[in-house]
Amino acid sequence: VCLHTGWLAGHVYLPTTDGQELTPSSLWRVSDLDRFETFRQVTQTAQLAPGVGLPGRVFVSRSPAWLVDITQDTHSPTAQIARDIGLKAGFALPVLVKEEVVAVFEFFAQETSPPSADTLEVMAHVGMQLGHVVERQLSGDVLREREEQYRRLFENANDALATFTPEGYVTSVNSAMEHLLGYTRSELIGDHFSKGLTPQAAAE
């Protein structure tokens, strides 16, 4: 985004787990490492309450916001440093998953003029796409967590359990089934139930 728009710096805030504050992430893009080092260090120590600073206001409003002169923002912990290094304008964009703000992107420029209509359109698209990416990631995390819960329940069950394909081939067994039948898991998986997966068959 910084490369496309010409903004000098970009940074990402993330909400804390309880949603009561924004915490600075380590995700940055700056045009000049030396110029922005102090600005970056101060930002990294700044926890923002909802409504505080440009990112905090965007966190509450759930809408993008443009600030003509961030050095006049008395609630911003970086206002003085921004003035020292010649920054003026700030732009912040929420990343939404449904109605929840999962990140706030902030960008900085030397100019005080608002971004063009084309830039705002690009930013709206960026925010929407990032929301989709996060939503897919969250859905994948939930699915993996549920699969792991199922695996633990299946494996630790006292009852002998097995799963089959629709054609009747064994796809998994738990430890109790191994103990009951006297076969190892590798010996059972892939067999057809018609072979007689019973303790009697195992004894034979």
Side-chain angles (χ1 to χ4, degrees):
V1 172
C2 288
L3 290 173
H4 178 81
T5 60
W7 285 328
L8 299 179
H11 174 243
V12 181
Y13 275 96
L14 300 172
T16 54
T17 53
D18 59 8
Q20 297 303 305
E21 287 185 311
L22 285 176
T23 188
S25 78
S26 59
L27 301 174
W28 281 87
R29 199 280 175 182
V30 296
S31 59
D32 186 323
L33 291 175
D34 293 335
R35 178 182 179 184
F36 285 96
E37 182 56 24
T38 302
F39 184 84
R40 190 189 64 79
Q41 289 179 5
V42 173
T43 300
Q44 290 298 130
T45 66
Q47 297 277 120
L48 297 180
V52 174
L54 182 59
R57 294 197 289 276
V58 167
F59 183 56
V60 172
S61 70
R62 296 180 172 84
S63 299
W66 171 260
L67 192 60
V68 172
D69 190 350
I70 60 172
T71 67
Q72 301 303 311
D73 186 353
T74 57
H75 296 293
S76 172
T78 55
Q80 180 58 53
I81 301 171
R83 185 182 298 110
D84 293 343
I85 61 177
L87 292 180
K88 281 289 186 179
F91 179 79
L93 175 77
V95 177
L96 299 172
V97 173
K98 297 182 173 61
E99 294 301 315
E100 180 184 0
V101 178
V102 296
V104 175
F105 280 56
E106 62 174 354
F107 301 94
F108 303 95
Q110 292 181 143
E111 299 79 15
T112 57
S113 57
S116 67
D118 288 343
T119 298
L120 291 176
E121 183 178 353
V122 169
M123 295 305 295
H125 182 70
V126 167
M128 182 175 63
Q129 292 302 316
L130 286 172
H132 292 329
V133 170
V134 173
E135 188 169 17
R136 287 195 296 271
Q137 180 66 48
L138 292 174
S139 297
D141 290 344
V142 169
L143 179 60
R144 285 188 290 273
E145 182 179 350
R146 289 178 178 172
E147 288 174 344
E148 179 59 23
Q149 289 174 342
Y150 166 78
R151 188 196 65 77
R152 289 196 300 267
L153 288 171
F154 181 84
E155 179 60 29
N156 297 325
N158 292 325
D159 295 328
L161 300 175
T163 60
F164 300 86
T165 67
E167 296 76 25
Y169 291 94
V170 180
T171 56
S172 64
V173 297
N174 66 353
S175 297
M177 181 65 83
E178 286 184 295
H179 180 73
L180 176 67
L181 297 182
Y183 286 113
T184 65
R185 199 165 309 213
S186 60
E187 290 174 313
L188 291 168
I189 292 175
D191 270 356
H192 197 273
F193 75 89
S194 62
K195 285 189 175 182
L197 297 180
T198 65
Q200 291 83 356
E204 294 172 1

